Amino acid sequence: MEELADRIYEVVKDYRNHDNIKITPKKILDWAEQFNDDSKLILTELDNFISEVYISRQKAKKYVKGHVGRYIKLFGYSNVTQFLMDTEFLDLQQSHKSQPAILKLLDEVLDENFSVSYKDYLTFPKKHYIYFDDILASGSTIGRHITEFLAQTDDNDKKFAEKILLNEITLSISVFCLHQWGFSFQDFRIIKTFGEKISKKINWYSNYQIENHAKFADQKFNVAKPVKGNNIKINSYLESLEATKYEDYAYRSKTDPAQETFFINANSRIKFEDVITEKGIDIINKISGKIKPNLRPLGLINPTYKIFGLGTHFFTWRNIPNNCPLVYWWEVPGHDWIPLFPVTNRG
């Protein structure tokens, strides 16, 4: 157990260091021991996939550098200065959200590699617009910002959507992680509002994809999603939800994925998913008073969806998405639950 905790620590040790949060091997063990007889299973699986799904600050900077290089090549620039003159990095999120943190990394990358700052070129006329974020889960925030951007008009009262169609400007969305199910919702939203031609004009770029669309073939299902069995606690919880949409997405088929690549093996996956779902239900049952309808054992979700949550397994140095299972981030006084990744206030 100690060896597993040490290896996990080496991956996640910079989590929220900027907030004076210090993860230690002992804290990892204390978290795992809450799973009782299943603690070794939880740590073994976490050790197996954590390096794939944890984005340290240094890894994030490498990703940002790669994104910049990709766009310089895509738009045919021979130097970064002209690229920065023509490009606006959209800053639409609140100050405590991911986008401002990534833009800070962007400026570090530009300074370290090119001795420039994108802020020196803010007043130049723009024809490329790039939206950075860490993760598209349900995608509601990104989808809202994109549709608002496309509906904007310039000084001549021409919509940005029209300008994209005329190749006068470009729009690119760059994320570290993208859920395929959430992306399909937002792509449909764009198509419904502005048309398929606009959708095809938008550049999407991600470093890691979560393949979790229940209706797509050959998905990796690199999330936690229980199989429907004889587990009374899990089945009863789902039946008790008043939500009505997407119930057929709640459980994972035993035949999905066709080949296990995220967990150690198919049987270990089933056990892991059941354990964290049950613990998430236990956490919810500790809540006194009215339970928020979007709170689920496998993470926050649209309250109308009759599912356990997205079961997202993706973490960054600065915070944990609330679409991740509750066992990773829940921290409420009196609930006697130690989080692995203490969540920062999202405002």
Side-chain angles (χ1 to χ4, degrees), residues 167-198:
N167 296 319
E168 294 176 4
I169 63 171
T170 70
L171 174 62
S172 306
I173 295 91
S174 272
V175 294
F176 299 148
C177 174
L178 179 145
H179 289 63
Q180 289 193 349
W181 192 31
F183 169 74
S184 70
F185 277 116
Q186 302 315 317
D187 190 43
F188 177 75
R189 180 180 187 174
I190 294 164
I191 291 171
K192 186 178 178 181
T193 311
F194 298 99
E196 191 170 359
K197 288 182 179 179
I198 286 290

Side-chain angles (χ1 to χ4, degrees), residues 10 85 102 311 328:
E10 287 301 320
M85 287 180 182
I102 296 173
Y328 292 110

Side-chain angles (χ1 to χ4, degrees), residues 70-71 74-75 127-131 146 149-150 159-174 183 186-187 190-191 194-205:
R70 178 182 184 274
Y71 290 120
L74 177 66
F75 300 133
K127 60 182 178 182
H128 303 300
Y129 295 84
I130 299 176
Y131 184 104
I146 291 172
F149 173 87
L150 293 171
K159 282 189 176 182
F160 279 24
E162 183 183 352
K163 291 165 72 74
I164 288 175
L165 281 178
L166 295 171
N167 296 319
E168 294 176 4
I169 63 171
T170 70
L171 174 62
S172 306
I173 295 91
S174 272
F183 169 74
Q186 302 315 317
D187 190 43
I190 294 164
I191 291 171
F194 298 99
E196 191 170 359
K197 288 182 179 179
I198 286 290
S199 170
K200 289 180 177 179
K201 285 277 191 179
I202 297 172
N203 303 305
W204 291 88
Y205 184 52

Side-chain angles (χ1 to χ4, degrees), residues 110-129:
L110 291 171
D111 179 51
E112 291 168 6
N113 292 276
F114 306 104
S115 299
V116 293
S117 169
Y118 75 90
K119 295 177 182 177
D120 294 336
Y121 304 96
L122 295 179
T123 59
F124 284 69
K126 304 300 182 183
K127 60 182 178 182
H128 303 300
Y129 295 84

Side-chain angles (χ1 to χ4, degrees), residues 13 42 56 63 73 124 197 201 220 229 233 300 316:
K13 60 186 177 183
I42 296 297
S56 67
Y63 283 174
K73 183 177 180 180
F124 284 69
K197 288 182 179 179
K201 285 277 191 179
K220 289 181 180 179
K233 179 186 284 189
L300 272 61
T316 76

Side-chain angles (χ1 to χ4, degrees), residues 5 8-9 12-13 15-16 21-35 42-43 46-47 49-50 54 272 283 313 315 320 325-331 337-343:
I8 293 166
Y9 166 74
V12 305
K13 60 186 177 183
Y15 181 74
R16 289 188 61 201
I21 298 293
K22 304 294 182 184
I23 289 181
T24 65
K26 183 182 183 303
K27 287 181 179 179
I28 294 170
L29 286 171
D30 289 345
W31 171 77
E33 286 170 1
Q34 298 173 117
F35 296 95
I42 296 297
L43 284 186
L46 187 61
D47 175 52
F49 58 65
I50 190 63
Y54 181 83
F272 182 95
I283 287 170
H313 278 67
F315 321 101
I320 174 172
L326 301 188
V327 295
Y328 292 110
W329 58 269
W330 191 259
E331 187 175 20
W337 184 261
I338 302 167
L340 178 62
F341 297 113
V343 67

Side-chain angles (χ1 to χ4, degrees), residues 36-315:
N36 304 315
D37 293 342
D38 297 308
S39 57
K40 187 172 183 180
L41 165 78
I42 296 297
L43 284 186
T44 301
E45 285 294 347
L46 187 61
D47 175 52
N48 176 60
F49 58 65
I50 190 63
S51 60
E52 183 179 348
V53 298
Y54 181 83
I55 308 302
S56 67
R57 197 175 190 277
Q58 279 305 114
K59 185 186 284 189
K61 286 178 71 172
K62 289 179 182 178
Y63 283 174
V64 169
K65 182 181 178 183
H67 291 204
V68 170
R70 178 182 184 274
Y71 290 120
I72 288 174
K73 183 177 180 180
L74 177 66
F75 300 133
Y77 288 96
S78 59
N79 65 81
V80 70
T81 302
Q82 189 60 53
F83 168 70
L84 293 176
M85 287 180 182
D86 291 344
T87 302
E88 178 174 337
F89 299 98
L90 296 172
D91 190 1
L92 305 177
Q93 296 181 4
Q94 294 172 288
S95 60
H96 61 281
K97 296 288 187 178
S98 301
Q99 192 169 73
I102 296 173
L103 292 180
K104 182 179 179 181
L105 294 189
L106 169 66
D107 225 24
E108 288 183 22
V109 166
L110 291 171
D111 179 51
E112 291 168 6
N113 292 276
F114 306 104
S115 299
V116 293
S117 169
Y118 75 90
K119 295 177 182 177
D120 294 336
Y121 304 96
L122 295 179
T123 59
F124 284 69
K126 304 300 182 183
K127 60 182 178 182
H128 303 300
Y129 295 84
I130 299 176
Y131 184 104
F132 274 112
D133 206 355
D134 58 351
I135 184 170
L136 185 157
S138 66
S140 57
T141 298
I142 291 178
R144 175 169 52 84
H145 283 157
I146 291 172
T147 52
E148 288 174 352
F149 173 87
L150 293 171
Q152 280 182 207
T153 56
D154 64 13
D155 293 339
N156 297 316
D157 210 31
K158 184 187 289 186
K159 282 189 176 182
F160 279 24
E162 183 183 352
K163 291 165 72 74
I164 288 175
L165 281 178
L166 295 171
N167 296 319
E168 294 176 4
I169 63 171
T170 70
L171 174 62
S172 306
I173 295 91
S174 272
V175 294
F176 299 148
C177 174
L178 179 145
H179 289 63
Q180 289 193 349
W181 192 31
F183 169 74
S184 70
F185 277 116
Q186 302 315 317
D187 190 43
F188 177 75
R189 180 180 187 174
I190 294 164
I191 291 171
K192 186 178 178 181
T193 311
F194 298 99
E196 191 170 359
K197 288 182 179 179
I198 286 290
S199 170
K200 289 180 177 179
K201 285 277 191 179
I202 297 172
N203 303 305
W204 291 88
Y205 184 52
S206 61
N207 299 96
Y208 181 75
Q209 289 202 13
I210 292 180
E211 299 181 11
N212 68 328
H213 200 302
K215 303 302 182 185
F216 288 1
D218 300 322
Q219 294 274 282
K220 289 181 180 179
F221 282 101
N222 40 344
V223 293
K225 188 176 184 180
V227 169
K228 187 171 185 179
N230 299 318
N231 190 307
I232 295 173
K233 179 186 284 189
I234 291 176
N235 295 344
S236 298
Y237 169 80
L238 189 73
E239 290 168 7
S240 71
L241 294 177
E242 295 181 1
T244 57
K245 297 176 68 175
Y246 300 112
E247 185 175 357
D248 55 336
Y249 285 62
Y251 293 100
R252 178 179 58 82
S253 168
K254 275 189 176 180
T255 59
D256 292 325
Q259 181 178 358
E260 183 58 63
T261 58
F262 189 65
F263 290 89
I264 291 172
N265 58 57
N267 290 332
S268 183
R269 171 196 272 271
I270 289 172
K271 181 64 175 173
F272 182 95
E273 290 169 332
D274 282 356
V275 168
I276 66 170
T277 304
E278 288 182 20
K279 283 294 183 182
I281 293 170
D282 291 343
I283 287 170
I284 290 173
N285 287 338
K286 290 180 179 180
I287 298 172
S288 58
K290 189 173 178 60
I291 298 170
K292 292 182 179 179
N294 65 335
L295 182 66
R296 306 294 169 80
L298 298 183
L300 272 61
I301 193 63
N302 186 309
T304 66
Y305 295 3
K306 194 168 185 175
I307 64 174
F308 297 98
L310 288 182
T312 298
H313 278 67
F314 188 83
F315 321 101

